[in-house]
Amino acid sequence: MEGGAHTNEGSAAMAAGTIRYWAAAKAAAGVAEEPYTAETLAEALDAARADHPGELVRVLRRCSFLVDGDPVGTRSHETVRLAEGGTVEVLPPFAGG
């Protein structure tokens, strides 16, 4: 059991899931949803910014996020781990709120 073949020692694996964009975020991204492959919310959002430079970058600054139905709130995006098959909901501010 002492081989060096496994590298699972505390390092989380990349997860694949779906980012769903709503309202202004959907318009800025030009898609309603797209796949992600990332370990954390920060990594998934960095990839989205790279794929959709311009308006989406500005919109994401004002958005709130749900990860698998749970609000991210004020947690650092680097600390929010993503699960295999998970969903990130991108929610821009809505009028009237």
Side-chain angles (χ1 to χ4, degrees):
M1 288 214 191
E2 286 187 33
H6 294 86
T7 58
N8 296 0
E9 301 172 15
S11 64
M14 297 292 251
T18 303
I19 296 179
R20 290 187 184 143
Y21 299 105
W22 297 95
K26 179 179 173 181
V31 295
E33 63 181 47
E34 63 187 349
Y36 70 73
T37 302
E39 182 179 329
T40 66
L41 177 58
E43 291 174 4
L45 294 177
D46 286 347
R49 287 181 192 98
D51 290 345
H52 308 284
E55 185 61 22
L56 183 62
V57 173
R58 289 184 284 282
V59 170
L60 287 176
R61 290 185 197 130
R62 300 185 322 267
C63 289
S64 57
F65 305 93
L66 299 176
V67 174
D68 297 331
D70 294 324
V72 171
T74 59
R75 289 183 287 161
S76 170
H77 295 170
E78 289 81 10
T79 66
V80 179
R81 299 252 180 242
L82 301 178
E84 182 67 26
T87 303
V88 174
E89 306 279 350
V90 180
L91 307 169
F94 293 95

